[in-house]
């Protein structure tokens, strides 16, 4: 690659990727768009696209190495049901249906099989970024999508190994058994060498070589493993993946990821740019409706299988639909695998270009499908919110009212239940209500920011009101409502952060606790003990910090509306706290020396 071509690639990526991310399309489509613009169908800045594509394939090798690093046995075991159950079902069922469709159109079974399995994969980078941007990674469909994508990443490796086996050239070998034994021996040699040599080699590089030698050692391992597999007729990605798996449980895993990530990111971006340059827009202009129909069929079939798999795995209908929409596209590994299939003469050039266009269009369609799904979900939730509030039993002895039965409220409820203290739990999320009731808990569906519901719940009979609502605005509104209409109640409120705590204290709540505050202090105390503090000193430090922090919270309330003064107050308080502990430490040392004398 010349300096002119390198500059064109970097400028195109710097412009296209941020724009694509801002529009919600993700970086992969940004790179593809950049490639189309600077390629043969755009500005024609690159002459030899195949040469660039061949160079950039090393980015996929590095990606597979990092995937291998992340596949710790303990992690795989914890997610085994989702990975090898839901994930395997999705890939195998989708692959079988797509392979059958390809054979129906006259393709040989070898080509149809590999096409079906490749199209069954989704875009890991694209989907995870999309879920993260919408804060959906921790949702039920987000967690299920993650396990399916993890299985698909693992499935890339056998697919890379399967392509040369199905390729016409593979059947022409004079000694297939010898080739198979050679490949098996190479894999075993890599595994054995990795177990006995890799860790000592990285220890030496880390101890004696410095930062740049450690990086060079990492690249030597990746390139050497890839080259070994290529020499015996297997894929370079398989060697890199195995090297990553062998180092997944090592102490160098995180440092290796940090060192390889920049190289992987740039080369992977170059690969997608090269794919964009090689995209045949002329083919789309010739047969646009055929390509659109194939894209729609791919997305519809994958979505249908994913919806069924999601429902069978226990997802509600709404979550299963979201799962189906977010994983219905083709994946970035399709570009790599189809290129390998083209090289192995499993597919022709025209079919390769057609499939690349279909995968690209399916990825472009995904953000629009996700937006449509979110609108359907909002409409569904709006219909659910019109569900009538539950009627609270009139003869219940309401000692405590708990508003919000999420993670925090459930712990409070369990303690009260253990002590036999009667309470009424109110929850505004109908899904959470149904979920909690499955375990035999009594909870009523209702919005605690509405006075009519609080009256219907007979709040006036209670002695205490616990506000454990997760939404900050709803939490503050509930406190204001209870304070105004039921002033006799003692209010115990959970705050998500310091700003929420200040807002609650401004409304004169009787007791405010920050969500992770106590557990953080408990961990800090145990950390001090582990570092050698005597129990008395560790306990005194935590108590002193807690008193100081409570005072600081009151000082922050006085300047809450002035951000500049708020920052200045916090900085001054941190200096005071450091001075306070430093003075106490000197006094303790002086007292110890006086005792010794």
């Amino acid at each position: 690659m010349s300096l002119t071509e390198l500059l064109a690639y970097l400028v195109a990526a710097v412009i296209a990727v941020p724009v694509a991310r801002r529009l919600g399309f993700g970086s992969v489509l940004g790179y593809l768009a950049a490639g189309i613009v600077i390629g043969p169908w755009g500005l024609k800045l690159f002459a030899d696209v195949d040469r660039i594509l061949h160079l950039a394939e090393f980015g996929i090798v590095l990606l597979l190495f990092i995937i291998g690093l992340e596949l710790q046995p303990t992690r795989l075991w914890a997610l085994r049901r989702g990975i090898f159950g839901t994930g395997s079902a999705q890939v195998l069922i989708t692959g079988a249906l797509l392979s059958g469709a390809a054979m129906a159109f006259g393709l040989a079974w070898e080509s149809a099989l590999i096409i079906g399995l490749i199209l069954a994969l989704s875009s890991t980078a694209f989907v995870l970024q999309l879920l993260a941007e919408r804060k959906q990674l921790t949702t039920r469909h987000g967690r299920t999508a993650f396990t399916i994508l993890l299985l698909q990443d693992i499935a890339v490796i056998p697919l890379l190994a399967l392509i040369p086996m199905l390729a016409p050239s593979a059947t022409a070998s004079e000694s297939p058994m010898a080739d198979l034994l050679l490949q098996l021996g190479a894999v075993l040699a890599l595994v054995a060498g990795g177990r006995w040599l890799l860790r000592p080699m990285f220890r030496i590089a880390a101890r004696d070589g410095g930062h740049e030698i450690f990086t060079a050692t990492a690249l030597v391992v990746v390139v050497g493993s890839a080259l070994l597999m290529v020499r015996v007729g297997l894929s370079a990605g398989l060697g890199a993946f195995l090297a990553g798996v062998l180092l997944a449980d090592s102490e160098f895993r995180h440092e290796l990821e940090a060192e390889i990530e920049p190289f992987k990111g740039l080369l992977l971006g170059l690969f997608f740019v090269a794919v964009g340059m090689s995209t045949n827009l002329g083919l789309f202009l010739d047969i646009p409706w055929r390509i659109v129909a194939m894209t729609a069929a791919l997305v519809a079939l994958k979505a249908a299988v994913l919806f069924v798999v999601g429902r069978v795995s226990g997802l509600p209908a709404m979550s299963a639909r979201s799962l189906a929409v977010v994983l219905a596209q083709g994946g970035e590994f399709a570009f790599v695998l189809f290129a390998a299939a083209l090289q192995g003469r499993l597919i022709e050039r025209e079919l390769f270009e057609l499939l690349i266009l279909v995968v690209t269009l399916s990825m472009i369609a995904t953000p629009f499908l996700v937006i449509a799904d979110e609108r359907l979900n909002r409409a569904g939730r709006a219909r659910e919110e019109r569900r009538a509030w539950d009627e609270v039993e009139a003869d219940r002895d309401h000692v405590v009212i708990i508003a919000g039965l999420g993670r925090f409220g459930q712990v409070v409820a369990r303690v009260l239940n253990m002590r036999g203290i009667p309470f009424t739990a109110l929850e505004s999320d109908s899904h959470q209500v149904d979920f909690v009731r499955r375990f035999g808990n009594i909870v009523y569906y209702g919005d605690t920011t509405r006075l009519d519901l609080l009256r219907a719940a007979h709040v006036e009979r209670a002695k205490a009101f616990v506000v454990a609502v997760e939404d900050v605005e709803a939490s503050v509104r509930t406190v204001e409502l209870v304070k105004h209409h039921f002033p006799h109640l003692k209010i115990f409120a959970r705050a998500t952060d310091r700003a929420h705590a200040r807002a609650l204290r401004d409304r004169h709540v009787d007791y405010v606790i920050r969500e992770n505050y106590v557990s953080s202090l408990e961990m800090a105390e145990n950390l001090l003990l582990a570092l050698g503090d005597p129990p008395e000193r560790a306990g005194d430090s935590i108590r002193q910090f807690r008193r100081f922090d409570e005072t600081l919270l009151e000082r922050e309330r006085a300047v809450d509306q002035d951000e500049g003064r708020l920052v200045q107050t916090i900085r001054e308080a941190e200096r005071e706290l450091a001075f306070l502990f430093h003075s106490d430490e000197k006094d303790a040392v002086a007292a110890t020396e006086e005792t010794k004398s």
Side-chain angles (χ1 to χ4, degrees), residues 248-262:
D249 277 330
S250 75
E251 63 271 30
F252 304 107
R253 182 171 71 92
H254 295 294
E255 190 171 358
L256 284 168
E257 282 189 77
E259 296 298 330
I260 294 295
E261 186 66 34

Side-chain angles (χ1 to χ4, degrees), residues 438-470:
R438 284 167 52 193
F439 297 92
N441 300 299
I442 298 176
V443 56
Y444 296 94
Y445 173 55
D447 184 358
T448 56
T449 63
R450 295 181 51 163
L451 180 60
D452 57 341
L453 175 77
L454 296 181
R455 293 194 187 280
H458 311 291
V459 174
E460 69 278 358
R461 302 181 188 177
K463 296 179 181 178
F465 196 100
V466 177
V467 182
V469 180
E470 298 206 9

Side-chain angles (χ1 to χ4, degrees), residues 56-136:
E57 284 178 358
F58 189 59
I60 300 296
V61 172
L62 295 177
L63 175 62
L64 288 167
F65 176 70
I66 290 180
I67 289 173
L69 281 176
E70 293 174 350
L71 294 182
Q72 295 171 283
T74 52
R75 189 184 190 194
L76 287 176
W77 182 253
L79 298 173
R80 63 191 183 281
R81 184 171 300 175
I83 295 173
F84 301 107
T86 308
S88 298
Q90 183 272 324
V91 171
L92 293 176
I93 295 172
T94 307
L97 292 174
L98 289 170
S99 298
M103 290 179 65
F105 280 96
L107 290 179
W109 73 267
E110 297 93 342
S111 301
L113 176 62
I114 207 67
I115 289 172
L117 291 173
I118 292 172
L119 291 178
L121 307 181
S122 306
S123 173
T124 300
F126 191 51
V127 171
L128 291 182
Q129 181 183 324
L130 205 61
L131 291 172
E133 288 171 353
R134 286 165 168 76
K135 298 181 174 58
Q136 294 178 1

